[in-house]
Amino acid sequence: EKGTYDHYMLKEINDQPAAMRKIIQEYQDEDENLKIDTEIIDQLKDSDRIYVIAAGTSYHAGLIGKEFFEKWAGVPTEVHVASEFVYNTPLLSEKPLFIFISQSGETADSRAVLVEIKKLGHKSLTVTNVPGSTLSREADQTLTLHAGPEIAVASTKAYTAQIAVLSILAQVAARELGKGTEINLMQELAKVTTAITAIIDDAPAIEQIVNEYLETTRNAFFIGRTMDYYVGLEGALKLKEISYIQAEGFAGGELKHGTIALIEENTPVFALATQEKVNLNIRGNAQEVEARGAKVCMVSMEGLNQEGDTYVIPRVHEMLTPLVSVVVYQFIAYYAALHRGNDVDKPRNLAKSVTVE
Ligand code: F6R
């Protein structure tokens, strides 16, 4: 099934442009307008706050989704780690809508939340790659990712599919709520698809980055601000789970509040600069760690790039950059694991779907 690819993970990274095209196709009507079931939109319009519940990579996709729901649809949104929410439920609004994000639809921690909120009579929507899954069957509504089966334990195409589907949901909500924040999303997602393809074609250059930054290191840091901070969290998770390099993602501005003490001569720091508003800030943070000996790998976006940046991704809509920048981090994790001789698709201690709490 993995065909000519050495690993499922590599295949699934490469599947991403096709998954994007499939999503674009599935979520538009004959007139090429964005389309989401009316019941789902009605539920969303009817709620005063969204609670996103997820784990791991799906939680990281939820963080990006929050930006879409708040900035486009104007709906206040909280994102919660499922295993925490169950035992420490926050104060809920009057009319909450719960959105469960889960590739497998089988994550027990998320299901435990679903069971609880159903007892309270709250509405639920599951965003999943597996329509017949437990979370899909038990929630009021389902949105399907259409990413195709994901076999590798490290999630790649499900993350980008989750972000794409959440962007569509938030744009349709914005349209139906008359928010005046609509963009030509299908056109922008098509540009994203082209950009992802360009990075896939450029994989050998990313393997070189791994040779240069990660061959012997025990740890690595991922910094960014706003959306780039969230992508850094995902980059760090991907790297640690398959390469076993200790990796941490954090907000660039938090460095000086403690973490900078960990920077030593040659500590690799991956910095992401795709957001105009904080471009100079993150570059300032990169200089702070560089001055203390860090080896900074600056990944920026065309238009915001500066001389000396290590890698430049193609320009896409500023709200959609995570779909593209994460692909660089997926390849970094893949090659780091491969070069260390690890089992890329089946990292130690991990299972594809976590069906125990
Ligand atoms: C990381 C990874 C896990 C899952 C998490 C949630 O690469 O795969 O962190 O994202 O276990 O799984 P789902 O999305 O199936 O609920």
Side-chain angles (χ1 to χ4, degrees):
E1 226 196 60
K2 61 186 180 221
T4 56
Y5 293 103
D6 292 339
H7 299 96
Y8 281 109
M9 184 183 179
L10 187 59
K11 173 185 181 290
E12 289 159 9
I13 293 172
N14 279 268
D15 280 347
Q16 289 176 116
M20 284 298 131
R21 283 191 287 269
K22 175 84 173 153
I23 291 166
I24 292 172
Q25 186 196 327
E26 291 287 335
Y27 285 100
Q28 64 181 356
D29 63 18
E30 314 80 64
D31 304 324
E32 298 185 5
N33 292 317
L34 301 180
K35 176 192 72 182
I36 297 263
D37 282 352
T38 351
E39 304 89 78
I40 293 176
I41 296 302
D42 286 347
Q43 260 192 5
L44 205 152
K45 282 166 73 177
D46 213 41
S47 64
D48 60 358
R49 187 173 281 257
I50 294 171
Y51 294 81
V52 174
I53 308 292
T57 289
S58 297
Y59 169 75
H60 294 154
L63 295 171
I64 310 291
K66 171 188 161 79
E67 301 301 312
F68 300 152
F69 293 132
E70 295 201 332
K71 301 221 161 68
W72 285 338
V75 184
T77 303
E78 298 178 17
V79 192
H80 292 273
V81 167
S83 58
E84 281 296 302
F85 191 98
V86 199
Y87 299 103
N88 195 8
T89 306
L91 281 176
L92 299 179
S93 65
E94 295 269 304
K95 288 193 279 178
L97 169 64
F98 282 83
I99 301 184
F100 294 86
I101 306 179
S102 177
Q103 189 285 129
S104 63
E106 301 297 344
T107 298
D109 290 319
S110 297
R111 178 162 187 263
V113 178
L114 178 56
V115 169
E116 285 309 310
I117 64 105
K118 277 175 77 172
K119 281 187 203 153
L120 299 170
H122 297 316
K123 298 283 179 236
S124 52
L125 163 69
T126 290
V127 180
T128 183
N129 208 19
V130 188
S133 59
T134 307
L135 285 170
S136 162
R137 280 184 277 110
E138 295 184 358
D140 297 320
Q141 313 282 352
T142 296
L143 281 177
T144 305
L145 295 178
H146 299 290
E150 192 181 67
I151 311 290
V153 164
S155 182
T156 52
K157 64 178 177 175
Y159 173 83
T160 44
Q162 284 160 348
I163 292 173
V165 170
L166 292 172
S167 75
I168 294 169
L169 177 60
Q171 274 287 308
V172 175
R175 183 180 75 200
E176 300 302 315
L177 288 162
K179 289 289 170 184
T181 50
E182 284 172 72
I183 62 170
N184 189 339
L185 185 64
M186 288 317 189
Q187 194 181 310
E188 297 298 341
L189 287 175
K191 278 190 216 158
V192 160
T193 308
T194 309
I196 295 175
T197 307
I199 293 174
I200 290 171
D201 292 343
D202 205 27
I206 305 175
E207 184 165 17
Q208 273 310 116
I209 293 176
V210 170
N211 289 334
E212 202 182 316
Y213 288 83
L214 293 175
E215 283 312 89
T216 55
T217 192
R218 281 183 54 249
N219 59 3
F221 297 103
F222 290 77
I223 62 170
R225 285 172 172 249
T226 70
M227 303 269 257
D228 292 336
Y229 161 43
Y230 301 146
V231 177
L233 295 177
E234 174 58 9
L237 175 60
K238 217 87 302 177
L239 187 66
K240 60 187 144 189
E241 73 173 324
I242 60 170
S243 77
Y244 315 141
I245 295 169
Q246 186 183 13
E248 221 53 68
F250 52 91
E254 275 290 288
L255 271 167
K256 57 184 177 298
H257 298 290
T259 319
I260 202 163
L262 289 169
I263 302 296
E264 296 174 345
E265 203 57 34
N266 287 326
T267 303
V269 176
F270 295 89
L272 203 49
T274 74
Q275 302 292 308
E276 188 162 18
K277 194 162 89 179
V278 289
N279 191 25
L280 297 180
N281 309 66
I282 192 64
R283 289 175 184 282
N285 299 140
Q287 281 167 3
E288 286 159 19
V289 288
E290 222 154 31
R292 286 155 181 94
K295 244 169 107 173
V296 174
C297 173
M298 179 62 76
V299 179
S300 61
M301 184 170 73
E302 208 182 305
L304 301 178
N305 59 309
Q306 292 184 6
E307 213 185 307
D309 290 354
T310 316
Y311 197 82
V312 182
I313 65 167
R315 193 174 183 90
V316 293
H317 192 284
E318 210 173 36
M319 293 285 278
L320 302 176
T321 60
L323 292 166
V324 181
S325 56
V326 77
V327 181
V328 177
Y329 287 166
Q330 292 169 350
F331 274 120
I332 284 176
Y334 174 76
Y335 287 118
L338 191 70
H339 294 187
R340 283 169 190 239
N342 298 350
D343 186 342
V344 172
D345 286 337
K346 283 199 173 59
R348 67 189 182 201
N349 310 339
L350 288 166
K352 181 62 182 165
S353 54
V354 185
T355 52
V356 288
E357 268 186 69

